[in-house]
Amino acid sequence: MTDTYYITTAIDYANAPPHLGHAYEKIAADCLARYHRLQYGADNVFFLTGTDEHGLKIERKAKEAGVSPQEFVDQMAGAFQAAWAALGISYSRFIRTTEAAHREQVQQIFARLIAQGDVVKARYEGWYCSGCEEFKAERDLLEGRVCPNHERPAEWTSEENYVFDMARYRDRLRARIESDPHFVQPEFRRKEVLNLLEGFPNLSVSRQSVKWGIPVPGDPEHVVYVWIDALSNYLTGIGYGRDEAMFSHWWPADVHLVGKDISKFHAILWPAILMALDLPLPRQIFVHGFVLLDAGKMSKSTGNVVDPLGLAEKYGPDPIRYYLLREVNFGRDGDFTYEAFEKRVNADLANNLGNALNRILTFAERHFENRVSRPATEPSEAIGALAAAAGLARERFVAAMEAVALHEALAAAWELLDELNMFVDRQAPWSLAKQEDKTPLQHVVWSVLETLRVVAIMVWPTVPSLAARIWEQLGTEGELLAERTDRRWEHTCWGADPGTAPGTSHPAADRTFVTRKTGPVYLRIGTEIVGKAGKH
Ligand code: MSP
């Protein structure tokens, strides 16, 4: 059986255009999806994202904008799709919760929960925050019953509602979280979720005051709670209830990637619903941190936002992808500042990566007429050491990706680039070029090109456009474009012919590079450009 990989992101509220925090999550998911395409083949990966389009908040926003809720979410979904296109997010499917097929399946799911007695009708009262779309305990509110997340008062709501009987599943869920450390990650979030589980209430899962939603089957005065509606996208997005073959091919999800503010819905409510539906649980819920803007919280209500589309249009998709994945310790919070952004991008993309390629292409052009094949003679010890460093980087990269430590995977790739640049400095090809015998020079140039070939595949999940630009200039076999590649992870073996059966030693490849210098891989960001971007 082939391995498959199904990854999801949270579906974003379609109440305002995307900000950098939304982009961060999609970029991380895209990096994981692309890495798994290298591992398993493109056809064996499914990457689901989309927009969460129902609820009070959206109903009100549409009213303010003077358009119907449907028109409003159509515009917003378009804004999210445009931003993801600009950032190179290679999702398999973009689900919208207003799609007819989704709505229909959510009703079926809800009807089943009622029929089984998991959901029962009861009076439900409490302080409701429409920002969070949830009832709040008084102890979770600030003075004046202000929601700490949205900085506005919660509203007293008393309704006859449908309530989900959480108690039925609490023990089973606790056992799973305790016995399977992989299930909720990072570890500190797992502990947090275990604590939350104890006091997790029976949850109201319908709303009477909200019109913009999916009607409860047989009781159209009520709409299904937006969280039940939204969470169900992970099932309906892969054909649940409509296409059994497709659904069973992908489910259970390998990972739900979500932010820390919604971990309880994913690690508590969602598994309980899945248990009620008699479905296997996702293999992992990975909880990422927040990206803070100049150390302040980024949110629409405070106006403190960075427009990811603007950044991608100005600098291309890769700098922001690289910066966020490299700079933020994945799972923890991180900062975005223009100063740090510029520094990282110039040092790592323009200098480290760009220079390594440009320098060597010049030698390939001048001394080998752009055709560099591997010399038949034994390589030097230094080349052996470079090959070993590439092998080690590859192992570190895999281990980090398996642990969803994206920043560490990138560190492994960029440390290899450091080694490569030091190798060039020490080997001094400019001196070798003066020798009559060009074989030592050819060894060095070939080895640098070979290392860059390995690096291009390794960094493709993170900086796909730059990787494609390197690939094009290396002139080596196989296709590697920003949007797709036929290269696989086994092609990252340095100096080896790919396609060798696993476990056997790789014979040395007699690969020839037909290089083509078409210009710098990435231009430095100049201070004047950053100046124009302004400080948001
Ligand atoms: N619609 C719900 C999710 C339903 S999933 C079944 C929602 N939407 S959201 O638009 O508020 O957030 C979408 C995702 O973006 C969440 O995972 C959230 O944690 C993440 N982020 C929102 N702001 C963020 C940052 N500043 N930084 C990083 N991620 C952040 O919640």
Side-chain angles (χ1 to χ4, degrees):
M1 205 182 102
T2 23
D3 276 315
T4 58
Y5 183 76
Y6 172 32
I7 180 169
T8 70
T9 67
I11 49 171
D12 302 306
Y13 282 129
N15 64 329
H19 61 58
L20 198 65
H22 299 133
Y24 173 60
E25 179 178 279
K26 309 315 174 268
I27 289 168
D30 188 59
C31 176
L32 282 162
R34 285 170 183 264
Y35 166 75
H36 284 90
R37 287 185 191 124
L38 292 176
Q39 285 288 8
Y40 300 155
D43 292 344
N44 294 316
V45 172
F46 199 92
F47 169 16
L48 182 71
T49 191
T51 35
D52 185 355
E53 305 191 345
H54 293 126
L56 193 56
K57 209 164 25 172
I58 288 167
E59 195 175 305
R60 286 181 181 164
K61 279 280 181 159
K63 206 165 174 201
E64 276 168 33
V67 293
S68 72
Q70 189 63 54
E71 278 173 306
F72 185 80
V73 294
D74 286 350
Q75 275 173 22
M76 287 303 146
F80 277 91
Q81 285 164 347
W84 301 164
L87 285 164
I89 307 299
S90 60
Y91 52 78
S92 315
R93 167 144 156 65
F94 188 96
I95 186 166
R96 300 182 52 190
T97 55
T98 50
E99 287 169 21
H102 171 82
R103 290 169 62 98
E104 201 180 296
Q105 286 311 316
V106 168
Q107 288 191 318
Q108 303 255 357
I109 289 170
F110 208 79
R112 176 165 168 190
L113 296 178
I114 294 175
Q116 291 178 174
D118 287 303
V119 162
V120 290
K121 214 169 178 181
R123 175 149 291 276
Y124 205 96
E125 292 186 327
W127 296 100
Y128 193 75
C129 170
S130 68
C132 301
E133 298 279 13
E134 66 174 324
F135 280 99
K136 295 276 175 191
E138 291 224 35
R139 63 169 186 278
D140 295 334
L141 295 169
L142 308 173
E143 225 182 280
R145 301 203 179 84
V146 167
C147 167
N149 297 334
H150 294 89
E151 289 162 17
R152 56 169 182 243
E155 293 159 55
W156 179 254
T157 312
S158 168
E159 288 183 349
E160 171 109 292
N161 273 343
Y162 289 86
V163 175
F164 180 71
D165 188 2
M166 186 65 213
R168 283 188 173 187
Y169 302 102
R170 191 174 283 123
D171 291 345
R172 254 174 82 192
L173 181 54
R174 188 189 306 105
R176 170 68 186 260
I177 301 173
E178 274 171 352
S179 68
D180 176 7
H182 180 79
F183 183 53
V184 181
Q185 276 295 314
E187 188 56 27
F188 72 104
R189 296 286 175 210
R190 183 166 86 104
K191 298 210 175 82
E192 204 175 85
V193 164
L194 272 173
N195 282 336
L196 278 174
L197 180 64
E198 293 319 308
F200 202 79
N202 287 341
L203 210 66
S204 156
V205 288
S206 69
R207 293 287 174 273
Q208 224 174 347
S209 48
V210 181
K211 296 282 155 296
W212 182 239
I214 303 177
V216 168
D219 199 351
E221 287 296 295
H222 296 256
V223 302
V224 173
Y225 180 39
V226 69
W227 270 101
I228 302 264
D229 168 359
L231 288 162
S232 304
N233 95 87
Y234 302 135
L235 304 178
T236 63
I238 49 165
Y240 180 72
R242 281 176 301 126
D243 184 342
E244 188 43 42
M246 182 186 184
F247 178 72
S248 55
H249 183 69
W250 297 111
W251 191 259
D254 289 84
V255 58
H256 291 318
L257 191 64
V258 297
K260 63 180 183 182
D261 55 332
I262 57 173
S263 60
K264 69 175 177 204
F265 292 108
H266 283 82
I268 299 179
L269 177 61
W270 181 230
I273 293 171
L274 289 169
M275 285 176 184
L277 295 175
D278 220 2
L279 286 171
L281 304 190
R283 296 204 171 84
Q284 183 168 66
I285 294 133
F286 194 96
V287 183
H288 64 77
F290 266 40
V291 184
L292 310 171
L293 184 59
D294 283 340
K297 194 183 163 196
M298 189 183 313
S299 86
K300 287 161 217 158
S301 49
T302 59
N304 190 17
V305 287
V306 167
D307 166 24
L309 184 57
L311 281 173
E313 276 170 354
K314 192 165 216 105
Y315 305 112
D318 291 356
I320 189 62
R321 293 173 63 106
Y322 177 72
Y323 174 86
L324 289 174
L325 297 184
R326 178 70 198 268
E327 198 78 12
V328 183
N329 181 330
F330 201 67
R332 301 279 170 176
D333 290 347
D335 274 335
F336 179 90
T337 68
Y338 277 101
E339 290 72 18
F341 174 67
E342 181 189 336
K343 215 166 132 203
R344 262 279 177 220
V345 167
N346 283 343
D348 294 4
L349 300 186
N351 294 350
N352 207 342
L353 185 58
N355 286 350
L357 180 70
N358 284 330
R359 277 160 105 185
I360 218 64
L361 288 179
T362 307
F363 285 99
E365 191 175 31
R366 261 192 222 147
H367 302 282
F368 303 101
E369 292 172 346
N370 286 321
R371 280 190 77 85
V372 189
S373 46
R374 188 179 206 177
T377 54
E378 269 300 297
S380 65
E381 230 172 79
I383 289 177
L386 179 65
L392 213 63
R394 187 174 184 269
E395 280 168 30
R396 269 183 69 195
F397 194 94
V398 171
M401 288 306 274
E402 297 304 323
V404 203
L406 306 182
H407 57 294
E408 271 174 36
L410 294 199
W414 261 264
E415 278 164 29
L416 175 59
L417 278 168
D418 286 339
E419 299 235 16
L420 181 64
N421 280 316
M422 283 192 296
F423 171 85
V424 175
D425 291 343
R426 282 200 217 105
Q427 296 299 304
W430 44 91
S431 302
L432 296 176
K434 290 183 195 135
Q435 293 177 14
E436 182 114 4
D437 178 9
K438 290 286 178 282
T439 318
L441 177 67
Q442 191 179 338
H443 263 302
V444 167
V445 176
W446 189 87
S447 304
V448 175
L449 292 171
E450 174 63 359
T451 311
L452 285 166
R453 185 190 65 79
V454 167
V455 167
I457 302 173
M458 222 182 245
V459 303
W460 177 76
T462 315
V463 286
S465 308
L466 293 196
R469 220 161 140 60
I470 295 170
W471 199 262
E472 184 198 342
Q473 304 195 50
L474 287 177
T476 182
E477 69 187 322
E479 179 184 63
L480 190 139
L481 305 170
E483 58 279 14
R484 66 169 186 276
T485 181
D486 66 0
R487 297 296 85 185
R488 297 288 296 272
W489 186 250
E490 69 234 33
H491 294 101
T492 57
C493 287
W494 197 99
D497 251 338
T500 320
T504 61
S505 67
H506 294 277
D510 181 22
R511 187 177 291 115
T512 300
F513 292 94
V514 185
T515 56
R516 195 154 65 95
K517 204 170 174 185
T518 57
V521 173
Y522 196 77
L523 280 174
R524 288 179 66 84
I525 297 179
T527 31
E528 72 287 359
I529 304 179
V530 173
K532 265 190 237 150
K535 269 195 85 140
H536 290 224

